[in-house]
Each structure stands twice: as structure tokens, then as C-alpha cells.
Amino acid sequence: MQKEGQRDHGLLEEAAASVPSTLPIPGTHPGGAQSPVPRLASGTHRAQRTASCTDPQEQQCAEEECDADECGDERKPPADSVDCFGNDKRPYLPLMLLGSTLIGALHMLLIEFPIIRELAWGYELRAFFMCLYALTLYCLVYCVLCDPGKLAVKEMEAFTHAHSVGELPRRCHKMWLFKQPIRRYDHYCRWLTNAVGLLNHREFVTMLAGLLMIGLCGCIIDFILIIWTSSEGRHFTGFLLIMHLTYSVILSLLTGPILRLHITFVTRNELANEYKHNLFHVLRDVSRRNPTLMRRCTWRLLRPFGSALKKTGKAVPVNELEDAEFNAGLDEDRFEYDPSLNAFDRGWPTNCINFWCVARWPSNQFGEF
């Protein structure tokens, strides 16, 4: 910790050095104690949940299929790598996302729109798709290029005057991409090569919803047009529609689970960074959760649950579990969200209103909501 008198422009670096780069500041649990740092699941370490990814029983999001060395992750930047032409490979993912969306829009403009014009409600459908693509592309570009909510020096100084030196606002997080901490940090998105935080979180959710709508509506329109063009013998046009239908199906399957997870976060006012660190999740006691476990398992399988079997059936915070209990609970997907641990959860109606309506641009907004 630096001395208290040092409050110049090096203050942000001082704060970043005093806060673990992968540990958020979510507020305290009932009783005032903060959650410990989660451990990884090798030996004495625990596995972290991954931001922007679904539960084990759900389909895994495409973002996690990327190589962390090439794409970067929460803890480290992407490696300096070039392709065979000497170009930097790091911008490829956002360019692929933007390019595929633009190609899909161009396909709609050149193939689907002329056919839709011949149908009833043709003008309304074309206007709908044009507005949908425009909104989605705007949010995509905004999320890639905008400031995600960096904590400015003046704001940090004002916060430090009222708090101890080196302390960050709750839900503020320091990551490798920026020198300044990110207010209300959610996660780092490899497909955007940018952080998602206070100033672009709503646009990120809107972008996901737009991509899913493009995929679902494209599937419906393409299916109808394929039947119609086939009946008229326009087979080449039908082939192009089948290609676009395939793209729409893949897009829907990729974005659907991700949007579902982030909508869940919004309804309970939980950030992906907090979800990844299991801050608000518990494991129901084995003795209450599965009373027939002792009759179905051998003692060798039960031995890791020895401490849990002696408990009273209360919910145990995930980060307080023994390593064997944690790994078994993670493998069996028995972690449950406990709203009593989340000081920001005020019920889904209030959470949704705060997410969409609270002003985020004032200079004194630290994202502590």
C-alpha cells in the first residue's frame, strides 16, 4: 500500500496494485465479510465459472471456444501473433462478427427483399429488418469502440477523499486492457476485444438481442421463401436462401444461450464477473440435498463429503466449501444462486428498471447499483 500522501496522477496505478486483478469488489455479505478469492480446480485450487458462458448443462457459448493465447481473456492480453501476411490477428474476431452481420444484411437486401416485395406486408417487413440491422450494427460498433466506463483520475480522487487510499468503488475492477479500473465491470468479450462495463453494458445486451432476432426472424422468412421459390422452380434462389437459413440457425444457436444467461444476470442484478467468482452462489448441504446418497454410494465416494454430511442442511457459500466438495458440486451442477448474498438484488422488476433507466453518464456515477 502506498503512503496516504501520494494522490497525484499515479493514484489509479496505486489502486490497481492494491486490488487483485481478478477479484471484484461486490459489496459485503451479511455480516460484513467479503468473499474470498476463488481457487482453481487443480489440486488445491478451484475452478472459476467463466464470464459470458452458460451452466454446464447448457450449450457452451462460442466465445469460450477461442484460444486464450490468441484472443485474450480476463487475466492476460492476447499474445502478439501475426498471420502469414504479417498482419495482427487480434482484430479478427470483431471483424468476423461485424463482417458476417454485414454480409447477412447484404444478402437480405439483394435476395430476400426483392421476393418479400411481392408478398403482403412486404414494405413493413423490409422496414423492420432494416431497423433491426441498423440498431444491431450500431450497438456492435459502439461496444467495440466506446469507453466501457473507465474511472477517471478526478473521479478516483473524489472517491478517495471519502474513503481509504487504494480502495475502489464497489463493482469496480482493474483489468489488463486499461490503466484505469472499469466501473461496474461485467466481463471481457473476445468477440469485441473490449471490456463490458458501466457505459456499454446496455448496448451489449441490446446487441445480443438484435443478433438473436436477426437469426430467428431470418429462419422464419427464409423457410417461407424457400417453400415459395421452390414451388415456382427458382432453384438457384432457393439454394441462396438455404445458405442464409443455415447462417441464421447457427447465429440463433450461438447467441441464444448467451443472451439467456445475461438476461438472468440482469433480472437478479448480478454481474458476470461476480458469477464467475461464485460470490452469490451456495451449495445445499449434502445431507438435505440428497438424503439417499449414503445408500447409493460407497464410502470412498462419500469421503469427500464427510464434513458436509455432519452439517445441519443449511446453504453453504460456494467459496467456503472444501476443495472436494466444490469440485463435486461443480461437476454435478448443484450451485444455486442465493439472493440474500447479493446486496444489489432488489427483486427482478426493480433490477430491470435500474439496469435500463439509471443514468450512467454523470461524472459521479461509480456504478454501485
Side-chain angles (χ1 to χ4, degrees), residues 71-332:
C71 308
D73 59 15
E74 299 284 343
R75 296 172 296 277
K76 63 181 180 179
D80 293 331
S81 58
V82 295
D83 57 19
C84 57
F85 300 103
N87 300 318
D88 188 1
K89 296 168 61 176
R90 287 174 292 182
Y92 280 2
L93 286 180
L95 289 177
M96 287 172 56
L97 180 60
L98 178 62
S100 62
T101 307
L102 287 174
I103 292 175
L106 185 63
H107 191 284
M108 289 288 295
L109 181 65
L110 298 179
I111 306 299
E112 276 84 351
F113 279 8
I115 305 176
I116 292 175
R117 186 183 307 169
E118 305 174 16
L119 303 176
W121 304 99
Y123 290 100
E124 290 80 359
L125 284 175
R126 286 185 294 169
F128 168 76
F129 274 102
M130 291 177 64
C131 293
L132 180 60
Y133 271 104
L135 177 62
T136 304
L137 289 170
Y138 167 78
C139 291
L140 195 161
V141 174
Y142 181 87
C143 289
V144 172
L145 302 178
C146 84
D147 171 16
K150 294 180 289 185
L151 186 63
V153 175
K154 292 183 179 180
E155 298 169 358
M156 186 63 193
E157 290 176 347
F159 182 85
T160 305
H161 282 307
H163 302 79
S164 60
V165 176
E167 182 180 355
L168 293 177
R170 293 184 300 171
R171 299 189 142 186
C172 194
H173 179 74
K174 178 68 175 67
M175 64 169 300
W176 60 266
L177 190 59
F178 303 100
K179 292 183 179 180
Q180 302 98 318
I182 305 300
R183 295 169 292 171
R184 207 174 188 274
Y185 174 80
D186 189 74
H187 72 285
Y188 169 73
C189 182
R190 297 170 180 173
W191 284 91
L192 303 175
T193 60
N194 196 8
V196 176
L198 177 69
L199 300 184
N200 64 350
H201 197 178
R202 291 183 294 201
E203 288 77 9
F204 175 77
V205 175
T206 304
M207 178 197 72
L208 288 178
L211 290 173
L212 181 60
M213 285 294 295
I214 288 173
L216 293 178
C217 295
C219 289
I220 297 173
I221 294 297
D222 288 336
F223 182 76
I224 295 174
L225 295 183
I226 288 172
I227 296 177
W228 190 44
T229 54
S230 298
S231 64
E232 294 189 349
R234 299 160 66 177
H235 300 297
F236 180 71
T237 302
F239 172 75
L240 296 178
L241 292 173
I242 291 176
M243 292 181 59
H244 190 265
L245 175 62
T246 304
Y247 161 77
S248 299
V249 170
I250 295 175
L251 181 63
S252 301
L253 293 177
L254 292 178
T255 56
I258 306 176
L259 178 62
R260 176 187 175 187
L261 185 65
H262 281 277
I263 289 178
T264 301
F265 291 158
V266 171
T267 57
R268 61 195 190 195
N269 201 357
E270 181 184 20
L271 299 177
N273 198 38
E274 297 163 349
Y275 170 82
K276 182 187 66 176
H277 289 86
N278 306 303
L279 297 183
F280 308 137
H281 288 78
V282 298
L283 178 66
R284 299 293 172 184
D285 208 357
V286 177
S287 57
R288 173 174 294 185
R289 180 72 177 179
N290 192 353
T292 62
L293 186 62
M294 295 186 66
R295 296 194 299 269
R296 295 182 181 178
C297 300
T298 63
W299 171 248
R300 180 180 179 184
L301 295 177
L302 276 176
R303 187 162 48 188
F305 299 97
S307 59
L309 290 173
K310 299 176 183 178
K311 296 177 182 178
T312 60
K314 295 182 180 179
V316 181
V318 167
N319 289 325
E320 296 180 7
L321 294 172
E322 299 294 334
D323 297 311
E325 295 172 340
F326 178 93
N327 293 330
L330 183 65
D331 293 338
E332 299 172 7

Side-chain angles (χ1 to χ4, degrees), residues 17-33:
S18 63
V19 179
S21 61
T22 59
L23 181 65
I25 303 178
T28 57
H29 295 320

